[in-house]
C-alpha cells in the first residue's frame, strides 16, 4: 500500500507542473526578488492596442486626384461670351453687368454640377467630393473688374482664337497634381506669351480666364485614409508573450501595469486556488488505482494486496521504471516550446514498456503503456485550450505497442535494437497518418518530427540495453535475456559440469527438455525451467563418483560405506550447489530450483539399507525416516516443482531396461502421485489439473526422447502382398 501511495505521488509530481499554475507572493510597488516567466502564451491586450494606435498614426494622409476637366468650364464661358457679344440688342453696359455677375457664379455652378454628377455615378466617394468642393471654392480666382469691360468688344473670330489657347493652357496645367491652384496660376503668363496670340488685350483676357478656370485637383481623401489606418491596425501583429518569456526580471519594480500583467497570467498568489491541486491528485489516484486493480486481478477475484502475484520488490522495481521513464519524458518536455513542439517526439516513451515486459509481465506492460500515453499527452501538450494533446498520446500508444510485441519473448540482446527500430518505424507511420488527416505543417517541422521519432527509437534501445543489467543485478531479476546468457555452455559452471561430471551434464540437459515442455504446457516459465535444470545438480561436481550417472566402469562407492554417510553425501549436493551458485552470482530463482527440486523427499534406498544392516547386527535402529529426508525447503514455485518432477522422471526412465509406453506412463503417474501424497506440492500453487497436464506432457516428451529404447505393446505385422 505504501508503494501504491508512492505511485500516486509520482504521478502527482509528474502532472502538476503542467496542470497547476505556479503563483508568487508579489506586492504592488515592491521589487521582485526573482525572474518570473510566463507559464503560457498570453496576449498583452493593452500593448496590442497601443501598437495598433501607433500603426494608425504612422499611416500618411491618402490623397486622390480628381479629374475636374476644367477645359469644359472654359468652353462654357466662351460659348456664353460668343452668345452675348453676338446679341446686338444688349447694350454694352448690360453685357458688362452680365459678365460681372454670371462668370464668377458659373465657377461655383460648375463645381456643384461636377459633385452631383460624380456622386450619382459613384466615381468618387462623397467625403472626397465634399472636401474637393470646399477647397476648390476657397481657392476660386477673382477676375479683375477691368477685364469685364474688355470682354464685350471681342469679335467671334477673336473669341474662337482665344478659346483654343485658353483650353490648351488649362489642360496642360491641370495635368499636374495641384494642391494649390496658385502654383499653376503663376505659370499662366509665360504660357500665354508663348502662344500664337499677338494682341495684347487678347493675351490679358486669356491670362485672367485661364487663372479663373484653374483649380486644385489633389485632395486629402479622409475615407481612404481611415480605411488605410483601419487596415494598418488589422495588420498589426498582436503583442504576445510566449511561454517561458520573462515577465518580471529580478530587481524590477512591480508597477501597476506589471501587476495587472501578472494578474492576467494568474501568477499572483492572491488568486491561488487549491482546486487544480486536488484535481491533479484525484487524477493521479485514478492512475494508481488502475495499477492496483490490475495487480489485484492477477491474484484472482480478491482485491487483497497480500494475494498479489507481485512481490514488494517487483512493485518497487515497477515504481523505479515509471520514475525513470517519466523523468526522461519530463526533461525532454522542459525543452519543448510552442514553436518547437516536435521536440516531444524525441522522448523514449517506449523505454518503460520494454523494461516492464522484459523484467516483469507482458500484460502489465500493456496497462503501463496506456498510463504512459495519458501522462505523456499532458507533459507534451503545448496548447492552452486543452489538457491532453492526444496526438502525443496516440504516438506513445503506437510506439509502446510496437515495442511490446517486438520485444515479447526476446531471447537475445539484439532483439532490443530490433525493437527500437520498430519503434522508429511505427512512430513515423503514425505521425505521418496524423499529419495527413490533420492540419498541414511546415516542411521543416515535418522533417524535424520524423527525425526525432527515429532518434527516439534508437534512444529507447540504448536506454533499455543500459538499464537492463542494473535492474537484473539490483533486484535479482532473471529476465529471458539473462537466462539465455546463463544457458551458454561456455559458462564456467556448465563447463565444469560437462568436463567433470559428463553423466550429470547429460542428465541435466534431458531434465531441461522435459521440464521446459511441461512448464509451457501449464503456462509457467519454460525457459526458467530449462536453465534451472542445467544448474540444479551442479553440487554433484564436488563428489561426482558418488552419483550413479557418473559411475562409468568403476565400482559404486556407496557399496562400501555406511548408508548414513551415503545419505549425507547425496543430500549435500543440493546445499553444495546453492553455495557454488552463490559464489558465481547466479540469480536467486536458479538457486531456488537447485535448493528446492528435491524438496523434503525420502531416500528410501539408503533408509532400507540402514534398516537391513541394523537387523543383521541385531541392534535397534537409532534413526527414523525423517533422518533420511532432504532438508528442503519444499518447492516454492511451479518451476521448482516441475524441475523436481522432471529430474525424478528422467532418472527413473533411464533406469528401466526395456521401457514400454505403459511402463513410462505408469512410472510418471506413480512419481507425481508419490510426491503429491508426500505433500511436496503444498507450498507451491500447482493445481490437480496442471499436474495432469504435466504428466501427459512428460509422457509425450519422454517417448519422443527415448523412442529408440521404448518397446511398443505389439508389433504391427506388414500386410501380405497380393499375388
Amino acid at each position: 500500500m505504501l508503494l501504491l501511495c508512492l505511485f500516486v505521488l509520482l504521478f502527482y509530481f509528474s502532472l502538476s507542473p503542467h496542470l497547476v499554475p505556479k503563483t508568487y507572493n508579489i506586492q504592488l510597488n515592491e521589487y521582485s526578488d526573482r525572474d518570473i516567466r510566463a507559464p503560457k502564451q498570453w496576449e498583452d491586450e493593452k500593448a496590442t492596442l497601443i501598437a495598433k494606435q501607433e500603426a494608425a498614426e504612422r499611416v500618411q494622409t491618402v490623397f486622390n486626384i480628381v479629374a475636374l476637366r476644367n477645359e469644359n468650364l472654359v468652353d462654357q464661358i466662351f460659348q456664353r461670351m460668343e452668345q452675348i457679344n453676338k446679341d446686338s440688342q444688349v447694350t454694352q453696359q448690360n453685357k458688362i453687368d452680365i459678365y460681372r455677375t454670371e462668370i464668377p457664379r458659373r465657377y461655383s455652378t460648375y463645381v456643384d454640377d461636377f459633385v452631383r454628377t460624380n456622386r450619382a455615378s459613384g466615381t468618387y466617394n462623397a467625403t472626397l467630393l465634399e472636401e474637393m468642393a470646399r477647397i476648390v471654392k476657397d481657392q476660386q480666382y477673382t477676375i479683375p473688374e477691368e477685364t469685364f469691360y474688355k470682354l464685350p468688344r471681342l469679335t467671334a473670330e477673336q473669341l474662337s482664337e482665344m478659346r483654343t489657347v485658353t483650353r490648351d493652357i488649362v489642360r496642360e496645367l491641370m495635368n499636374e497634381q495641384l494642391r494649390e491652384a496658385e502654383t499653376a496660376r503663376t505659370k499662366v503668363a509665360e504660357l500665354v506669351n508663348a502662344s500664337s496670340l499677338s494682341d495684347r488685350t487678347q493675351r490679358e483676357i486669356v491670362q485672367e480666364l485661364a487663372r479663373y478656370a484653374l483649380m486644385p485637383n489633389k485632395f486629402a481623401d479622409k475615407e481612404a485614409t481611415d480605411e488605410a489606418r483601419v487596415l494598418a491596425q488589422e495588420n498589426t501583429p498582436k503583442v504576445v508573450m510566449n511561454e517561458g518569456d520573462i515577465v518580471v526580471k529580478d530587481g524590477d519594480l512591480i508597477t501597476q501595469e506589471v501587476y495587472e500583467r501578472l494578474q492576467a497570467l494568474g501568477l499572483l498568489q492572491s488568486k491561488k486556488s487549491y482546486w487544480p491541486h486536488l484535481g491533479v491528485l484525484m487524477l493521479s489516484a485514478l492512475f494508481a488505482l488502475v495499477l492496483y486493480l490490475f495487480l489485484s486481478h492477477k491474484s484472482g477475484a480478491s482485491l487483497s494486496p497480500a494475494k498479489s502475484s507481485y512481490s514488494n520488490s517487483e512493485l518497487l522495481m515497477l515504481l523505479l521504471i515509471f520514475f525513470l521513464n517519466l523523468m526522461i519524458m519530463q526533461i525532454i518536455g522542459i525543452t519543448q516550446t510552442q514553436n518547437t513542439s516536435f521536440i516531444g517526439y524525441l522522448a523514449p516513451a517506449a523505454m518503460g514498456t520494454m523494461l516492464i515486459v522484459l523484467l516483469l509481465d507482458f500484460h502489465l506492460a500493456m496497462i503501463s503503456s496506456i498510463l504512459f500515453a495519458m501522462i505523456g499527452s499532458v507533459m507534451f501538450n503545448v496548447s492552452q485550450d486543452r489538457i491532453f494533446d492526444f496526438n502525443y498520446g496516440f504516438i506513445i500508444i503506437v510506439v509502446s505497442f510496437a515495442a511490446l510485441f517486438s520485444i515479447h519473448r526476446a531471447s537475445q540482446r539484439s532483439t532490443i535494437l530490433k525493437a527500437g527500430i520498430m519503434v522508429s518505424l511505427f512512430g513515423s507511420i503514425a505521425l505521418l497518418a496524423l499529419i495527413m488527416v490533420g492540419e498541414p505543417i511546415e516542411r521543416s517541422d515535418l522533417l524535424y518530427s520524423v527525425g526525432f521519432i527515429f532518434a527516439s527509437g534508437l534512444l529507447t534501445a540504448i536506454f533499455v540495453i543500459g538499464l537492463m543489467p542494473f535492474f537484473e543485478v539490483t533486484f535479482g531479476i532473471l529476465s529471458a535475456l539473462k537466462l539465455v546468457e546463463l544457458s551458454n555452455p561456455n559458462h564456467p559452471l556448465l563447463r565444469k559440469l560437462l568436463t567433470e561430471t559428463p553423466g550429470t551434464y547429460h542428465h541435466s540437459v534431458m531434465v531441461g527438455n522435459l521440464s521446459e515442455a511441461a512448464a509451457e504446457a501449464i503456462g509457467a516459465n519454460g525457459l526458467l525451467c530449462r536453465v534451472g535444470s542445467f544448474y540444479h545438480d551442479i553440487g554433484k561436481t564436488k563428489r561426482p563418483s558418488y552419483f550413479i550417472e557418473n559411475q562409468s566402469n568403476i565400482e559404486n562407492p556407496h557399496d562400501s560405506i555406511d548408508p548414513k554417510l551415503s545419505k549425507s553425501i547425496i543430500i549435500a549436493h543440493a546445499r553444495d550447489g546453492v553455495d557454488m551458485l552463490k559464489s558465481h552470482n547466479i540469480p536467486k530463482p536458479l538457486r531456488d530450483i537447485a535448493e528446492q527440486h528435491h524438496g523434503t523427499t525420502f531416500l528410501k534406498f539408503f533408509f532400507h539399507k540402514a534398516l537391513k544392516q541394523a537387523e543383521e547386527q541385531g541392534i535397534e535402529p537409532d534413526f527414523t525416516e525423517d533422518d533420511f529426508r532432504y532438508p528442503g525447503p519444499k518447492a516454492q514455485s511451479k518451476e521448482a516443482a516441475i524441475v523436481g518432477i522432471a529430474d525424478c522422471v528422467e532418472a527413473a526412465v533411464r533406469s528401466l531396461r526395456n521401457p514400454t509406453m505403459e511402463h513410462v506412463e505408469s512410472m510418471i503417474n506413480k512419481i507425481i502421485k508419490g510426491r503429491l501424497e508426500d505433500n511436496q506440492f503444498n507450498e507451491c500453487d500447482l493445481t490437480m489439473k496442471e499436474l495432469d497436464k504435466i504428466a501427459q506432457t512428460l509422457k509425450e516428451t519422454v517417448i519422443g526422447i527415448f523412442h529408440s529404447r521404448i518397446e511398443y505393446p505389439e508389433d504391427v505385422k506388414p500386410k501380405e502382398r497380393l499375388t
Side-chain angles (χ1 to χ4, degrees):
M1 296 306 295
L2 176 61
L3 288 170
L4 287 173
C5 291
L6 291 177
F7 269 106
V8 174
L9 293 177
L10 174 62
F11 295 147
Y12 173 81
F13 286 111
S14 299
L15 295 172
S16 58
H18 305 275
L19 299 179
V20 178
K22 192 173 183 180
T23 57
Y24 302 89
N25 185 15
I26 296 175
Q27 301 298 324
L28 188 63
N29 298 323
E30 292 187 357
Y31 291 94
S32 174
D33 59 352
R34 71 191 74 187
D35 288 343
I36 300 177
R37 298 181 180 272
K40 59 183 179 181
Q41 190 180 66
W42 174 73
E43 178 190 350
D44 191 336
E45 295 182 355
K46 183 178 292 186
T48 301
L49 181 60
I50 294 174
K52 288 184 176 182
Q53 291 174 349
E54 291 176 350
E57 291 172 359
R58 286 194 297 269
V59 174
Q60 296 181 353
T61 303
V62 177
F63 289 91
N64 278 332
I65 304 298
V66 177
L68 289 167
R69 302 186 63 84
N70 301 62
E71 61 270 20
N72 292 336
L73 176 60
V74 173
D75 288 337
Q76 293 177 9
I77 294 172
F78 275 95
Q79 286 176 1
R80 184 60 175 160
M81 286 193 296
E82 289 176 357
Q83 181 182 6
I84 293 174
N85 288 353
K86 188 167 55 176
D87 190 350
S88 57
Q89 296 180 0
V90 181
T91 65
Q92 186 82 4
Q93 185 59 43
N94 288 338
K95 291 180 180 180
I96 294 172
D97 294 337
I98 292 172
Y99 290 140
R100 185 184 293 120
T101 304
E102 189 171 325
I103 291 179
R105 187 174 65 245
R106 188 168 293 276
Y107 184 98
S108 299
T109 303
Y110 181 82
V111 173
D112 292 340
D113 291 341
F114 182 88
V115 170
R116 184 170 54 257
T117 302
N118 284 274
R119 178 179 291 167
S121 64
T123 307
Y124 303 101
N125 64 72
T127 305
L128 177 63
L129 290 173
E130 290 175 3
E131 179 72 8
M132 181 271 298
R134 182 184 64 80
I135 293 176
V136 168
K137 290 179 179 180
D138 288 345
Q139 296 188 25
Q140 181 177 351
Y141 182 75
T142 302
I143 299 176
E145 183 69 19
E146 61 269 17
T147 303
F148 298 125
Y149 288 92
K150 299 176 184 178
L151 294 179
R153 296 194 293 267
L154 295 174
T155 65
E157 291 76 10
Q158 288 177 321
L159 288 174
S160 177
E161 185 180 6
M162 292 167 59
R163 177 178 183 176
T164 302
V165 173
T166 307
R167 279 175 54 88
D168 292 341
I169 292 174
V170 170
R171 183 186 296 112
E172 179 179 349
L173 291 176
M174 288 298 294
N175 284 334
E176 299 178 6
Q177 296 183 9
L178 303 176
R179 293 192 61 191
E180 298 290 338
E182 193 61 34
T183 304
R185 287 168 183 162
T186 59
K187 302 177 182 179
V188 171
E190 181 180 354
L191 293 175
V192 171
N193 293 330
S195 67
S196 60
L197 296 176
S198 59
D199 183 71
R200 179 179 177 183
T201 301
Q202 286 181 304
R203 289 201 299 268
E204 290 177 355
I205 295 173
V206 167
Q207 286 184 22
E208 298 302 329
L209 292 178
R211 290 172 181 153
Y212 167 80
L214 288 174
M215 304 176 185
N217 59 5
K218 184 178 181 180
F219 308 97
D221 191 338
K222 184 177 183 302
E223 186 172 329
T225 303
D226 292 341
E227 290 178 359
R229 286 173 179 168
V230 170
L231 184 62
Q233 290 179 335
E234 291 176 352
N235 293 334
T236 301
K238 297 178 180 179
V239 179
V240 175
M241 183 169 292
N242 293 317
E243 180 182 355
D245 288 351
I246 295 180
V247 183
V248 179
K249 292 183 179 180
D250 185 9
D252 283 356
L253 179 66
I254 307 299
T255 62
Q256 183 65 37
E257 181 181 354
V258 173
Y259 190 84
E260 291 175 358
R261 186 179 301 168
L262 294 172
Q263 190 174 35
L265 286 166
L267 293 172
L268 296 181
Q269 204 168 66
S270 58
K271 295 289 183 180
K272 185 174 181 180
S273 172
Y274 291 97
W275 291 114
H277 293 275
L278 180 59
V280 175
L281 188 62
M282 292 172 64
L283 188 62
S284 303
L286 286 175
F287 288 164
L289 182 63
V290 170
L291 283 177
Y292 173 72
L293 293 176
F294 174 79
L295 297 176
S296 300
H297 177 73
K298 291 284 286 186
S299 65
S302 174
L303 296 181
S304 172
K307 293 187 178 181
S308 174
S309 59
Y310 295 95
S311 65
N312 284 337
S313 176
E314 290 172 326
L315 288 179
L316 178 60
M317 180 173 62
L318 178 65
L319 177 65
L320 185 56
I321 291 173
F322 264 82
F323 172 76
L324 291 174
N325 204 51
L326 296 180
M327 181 184 69
I328 294 174
M329 291 168 63
Q330 192 82 265
I331 292 173
I332 292 178
I334 292 174
T335 64
Q336 187 185 28
T337 64
Q338 195 158 18
N339 295 327
T340 59
S341 59
F342 48 77
I343 292 179
Y345 296 123
L346 184 63
M351 179 193 76
T353 300
M354 292 174 68
L355 288 173
I356 294 171
V357 74
L358 288 171
L359 298 171
L360 290 169
D361 178 63
F362 177 83
H363 296 95
L364 179 59
M366 293 182 68
I367 297 297
S368 301
S369 298
I370 297 173
L371 293 180
F372 288 140
M374 295 288 288
I375 297 173
S377 64
V378 174
M379 284 186 176
F380 300 122
N381 176 31
V382 294
S383 176
Q384 303 300 324
D385 56 355
R386 59 181 182 266
I387 297 176
F388 297 94
D389 188 338
F390 284 103
N391 284 349
Y392 288 98
F394 176 72
I395 295 292
I396 294 175
I397 280 286
V398 170
V399 299
S400 296
F401 275 70
L404 194 66
F405 289 102
S406 301
I407 206 74
H408 186 42
R409 298 185 182 277
S411 58
Q412 295 180 353
R413 301 264 175 195
S414 60
T415 309
I416 298 177
L417 182 58
K418 294 177 183 177
I421 295 174
M422 296 303 292
V423 166
S424 299
L425 178 62
F426 279 92
S428 300
I429 293 174
L431 174 65
L432 292 174
L434 289 176
I435 292 174
M436 289 178 183
V437 301
E439 296 181 1
I441 64 174
E442 295 291 336
R443 184 176 179 182
S444 59
D445 290 349
L446 174 61
L447 294 176
Y448 278 126
S449 299
V450 174
F452 281 164
I453 281 189
F454 260 94
S456 74
L458 299 178
L459 279 178
T460 300
I462 292 171
F463 278 123
V464 172
I465 292 173
L467 290 171
M468 278 290 292
F470 165 76
F471 285 106
E472 290 171 345
V473 173
T474 304
F475 293 93
I477 295 296
L478 201 54
S479 66
L481 301 177
K482 184 67 174 178
L483 283 171
V484 172
E485 289 179 358
L486 291 173
S487 66
N488 190 336
N490 290 321
H491 190 280
L493 286 180
L494 295 184
R495 176 65 63 181
K496 179 180 178 67
L497 188 68
L498 174 62
T499 56
E500 298 180 10
T501 56
T504 301
Y505 180 82
H506 185 264
H507 160 74
S508 298
V509 172
M510 301 305 291
V511 172
N513 292 332
L514 293 173
S515 62
E516 183 178 30
E520 290 183 349
I522 65 169
N525 192 335
L527 184 58
L528 175 60
C529 287
R530 170 183 282 275
V531 181
S533 299
F534 292 168
Y535 290 92
H536 81 290
D537 276 344
I538 194 67
K540 292 181 178 180
T541 58
K542 280 201 170 184
R543 304 174 189 85
S545 60
Y546 285 88
F547 299 91
I548 191 168
E549 66 267 21
N550 300 314
Q551 295 170 1
S552 178
N553 299 323
I554 62 171
E555 293 184 0
N556 190 342
H558 293 289
D559 294 339
S560 58
I561 63 174
D562 185 75
K564 293 181 182 179
L565 179 58
S566 296
K567 177 265 299 183
S568 299
I569 293 173
I570 296 299
I571 288 176
H573 86 275
R575 183 181 64 253
D576 293 337
V578 173
D579 293 338
M580 293 176 67
L581 294 174
K582 278 185 179 180
S583 64
H584 283 77
N585 296 320
I586 300 299
K588 189 175 184 300
L590 295 180
R591 300 202 307 266
D592 290 343
I593 289 177
E595 185 178 23
Q596 300 167 13
H597 73 281
H598 283 297
T600 59
T601 53
F602 181 41
L603 296 173
K604 293 181 181 180
F605 178 80
F606 294 110
F607 175 73
H608 291 297
K609 183 178 179 181
L611 281 179
K612 186 178 180 181
Q613 287 183 357
E615 289 177 3
E616 291 175 352
Q617 295 173 6
I619 60 175
E620 188 69 25
D622 58 349
F623 53 85
T624 63
E625 287 188 6
D626 291 339
D627 295 325
F628 282 82
R629 284 185 176 274
Y630 280 92
K634 295 177 182 179
Q636 304 294 305
S637 65
K638 291 182 180 181
E639 289 77 14
I642 292 171
V643 172
I645 296 172
D647 176 53
C648 194
V649 167
E650 198 280 336
V653 172
R654 189 175 292 277
S655 67
L656 296 176
R657 290 188 177 181
N658 296 305
T660 64
M661 292 178 63
E662 288 80 4
H663 289 160
V664 171
E665 184 173 4
S666 175
M667 182 170 290
I668 291 174
N669 290 333
K670 182 180 179 181
I671 290 171
I672 293 178
K673 182 179 179 182
R675 291 207 168 203
L676 185 62
E677 292 175 349
D678 197 23
N679 299 322
Q680 295 301 313
F681 304 136
N682 285 8
E683 298 181 16
C684 66
D685 52 357
L686 280 174
T687 64
M688 295 298 295
K689 184 177 181 180
E690 289 174 337
L691 287 174
D692 288 339
K693 283 187 179 180
I694 291 171
Q696 180 65 25
T697 305
L698 287 176
K699 183 189 76 170
E700 295 171 356
T701 309
V702 167
I703 291 173
I705 294 175
F706 297 101
H707 65 278
S708 61
R709 295 178 55 195
I710 296 178
E711 297 178 2
Y712 288 86
E714 56 183 70
D715 294 332
V716 179
K717 295 181 179 181
K719 293 182 179 180
E720 295 182 1
R721 181 178 297 177
L722 297 176
T723 58

